[in-house]
Amino acid sequence: MPQYSYKAKAGPSQITSGVVQAENKLVVIKKLRQEGLFPVSIDEINPAPAKKGFRRVNPRDISAFTRQLANLIHSGFLLSTALLTLSQQTQNQPLKKLINDLYDMIQKGATFSDALSVYPEIFSSFYVNITKVGEASGKIDQALEKLANFKEREDELLSQVTSALVYPAFLFSLGIITIFILITFFFPRLSTMFSSLGQALPLPTQILIHASSFMHRFWWLFVVAVTAAVIIARSYYKKEKNRLLVDRLILRIPLLKGVVQKVEIARFSYALAVLLGSGIPMLEALGVVGLSVENRLFRQKISSFQEKIRKGQSLSKCLQAEGIFPPILINMVAVGEESGELTDMLSRIAATFEADVNRTVKTMVSLIEPILILFIGGIVVLMVFSMLMPIFQMDFISR
């Protein structure tokens, strides 16, 4: 549905502005008049053409943009001037186009939070709500600084996990490719030599020869099957219902459960601390903070907290009722509620679990690397030994 930015009179000398979704301009005029507003100007916002380029906007670029914007506004720049300055400075074309579009919408009368909400694939509800609070309080620079801190911590946490797993993933991929090349292109040449000997081959050698013969003829089928499996898996995971099932399964895998749980708790705790520290009430904060976590089971559990807290339950009791939150989190939240320092306690919880994630991932990697080396090396050794068995057999017979 199209979005429109508008300027309207709320009184003889009072002008208000904003962004609304509607089928056309007539519907916008009708909505404004129902609210007692007299429209002065209405302009259609069309972000669709820009979405293609925005796919290349890196989350780290958004973190840097948020930090720079906060610094400029804190230095005395107006929001529109700060955006224009950043647009002139950036060399990243997709980000430059995004900043220009935000600038254009603000020039047409939209608020910054309304302009950000036009691009939900880039700016989450969490980001937009923090910005809206900053606008309402007149401290947009402080709100952006909190967002920059949050984005940088989140990026750093995910970067540490990703970088720690890069080498094991590379090692595993290299091993699989090596095995694929040996079976598909190298062993078939040796099998031709063995077939000319006219003697019975050992069972392991026969199995390997049949496998290599099949792979040599139909290797393209293997590549197509793997590619199709990846595409189907990605399309399956994109559906929200399926993603919930997969995320629930992940939390049952012993090695992954601890890492995913700690990452999501760190995200949840710090996001809630930022929201509460910005003056957003607990009920409203919980509605937004659920979107800051990626695991759909966590998101589902957190979204159920709103109704329970509305009925008078404490956050610690809500956490305790679910089976996916560790006792240390529940106890620390309970202490924070009793002492009246829940925001500070949530920040400490986030720091604690971030440190735990780093230790857990480093321990996992130190165990996975030798296991992978032994696994891949063992397969290669068995394959080579299977191909050498007929030669050993011939040497034994000749003696």
Side-chain angles (χ1 to χ4, degrees), residues 69-106:
L69 187 60
N71 291 338
L72 287 173
I73 295 173
H74 185 73
S75 300
F77 282 70
L78 294 174
L79 176 61
S80 56
T81 309
L83 286 171
L84 190 59
T85 303
L86 288 177
S87 173
Q88 292 169 350
Q89 289 179 351
T90 184
Q91 300 299 316
N92 185 322
Q93 290 305 313
L95 181 61
K96 188 183 187 75
K97 184 165 178 53
L98 172 62
I99 296 172
N100 286 335
D101 279 5
L102 295 175
Y103 173 79
D104 290 341
M105 282 186 276
I106 288 171

Side-chain angles (χ1 to χ4, degrees), residues 33-286:
R33 287 180 175 171
Q34 286 174 349
E35 294 174 9
L37 301 173
F38 183 81
V40 175
S41 66
I42 300 172
D43 296 301
E44 183 178 357
I45 301 167
N46 186 17
K51 284 186 178 179
K52 223 178 220 184
F54 293 152
R55 289 177 187 171
R56 297 196 300 267
V57 177
N58 194 288
R60 287 187 177 273
D61 293 333
I62 297 300
S63 299
F65 159 74
T66 307
R67 174 69 67 191
Q68 292 166 359
L69 187 60
N71 291 338
L72 287 173
I73 295 173
H74 185 73
S75 300
F77 282 70
L78 294 174
L79 176 61
S80 56
T81 309
L83 286 171
L84 190 59
T85 303
L86 288 177
S87 173
Q88 292 169 350
Q89 289 179 351
T90 184
Q91 300 299 316
N92 185 322
Q93 290 305 313
L95 181 61
K96 188 183 187 75
K97 184 165 178 53
L98 172 62
I99 296 172
N100 286 335
D101 279 5
L102 295 175
Y103 173 79
D104 290 341
M105 282 186 276
I106 288 171
Q107 289 297 98
K108 290 176 182 178
T111 63
F112 188 44
S113 57
D114 286 335
L116 294 173
S117 66
V118 174
Y119 304 102
E121 72 280 5
I122 300 174
F123 302 103
S124 63
S125 297
F126 174 79
Y127 196 108
V128 173
N129 274 271
I130 293 291
T131 307
K132 193 174 291 185
V133 170
E135 289 172 335
S137 62
K139 298 177 180 178
I140 186 69
D141 57 329
Q142 294 181 17
L144 288 169
E145 189 174 352
K146 287 180 179 179
L147 278 170
N149 291 335
F150 174 78
K151 291 288 291 178
E152 286 166 2
R153 286 185 66 166
E154 184 180 46
D155 291 344
E156 183 65 24
L157 178 63
L158 294 178
S159 176
Q160 288 172 349
V161 174
T162 304
S163 60
L165 297 176
V166 163
Y167 180 67
F170 171 76
L171 197 63
F172 180 75
S173 301
L174 187 63
I176 295 298
I177 292 170
T178 302
I179 293 170
F180 176 77
I181 292 173
L182 286 174
I183 292 180
T184 308
F185 302 106
F186 181 70
F187 287 151
R189 296 182 180 181
L190 293 178
S191 64
T192 305
M193 180 186 71
F194 291 143
S195 62
S196 63
L197 296 176
Q199 66 176 35
L201 298 175
L203 181 61
T205 307
Q206 292 180 34
I207 294 172
L208 190 58
I209 286 174
H210 288 309
S212 62
S213 176
F214 176 83
M215 286 296 295
H216 184 67
R217 284 184 295 171
F218 301 107
W219 63 268
W220 56 269
L221 188 62
F222 176 79
V223 174
V224 170
V226 171
T227 305
V230 171
I231 294 171
I232 292 169
R234 289 185 66 179
S235 62
Y236 178 86
Y237 191 64
K238 282 181 180 178
K239 295 179 181 177
E240 200 66 24
K241 182 179 70 173
N242 299 334
R243 188 162 182 175
L244 177 61
L245 293 173
V246 174
D247 288 352
R248 193 189 297 271
L249 178 64
I250 288 173
L251 289 175
R252 292 180 182 175
I253 301 173
L255 287 175
L256 291 178
K257 179 182 177 181
V259 176
V260 172
Q261 187 183 51
K262 289 169 185 175
V263 168
E264 298 296 17
I265 288 173
R267 277 175 166 174
F268 162 75
S269 302
Y270 191 64
L272 187 57
V274 170
L275 290 167
L276 296 177
S278 300
I280 298 178
M282 175 66 80
L283 282 173
E284 188 179 342
L286 285 172

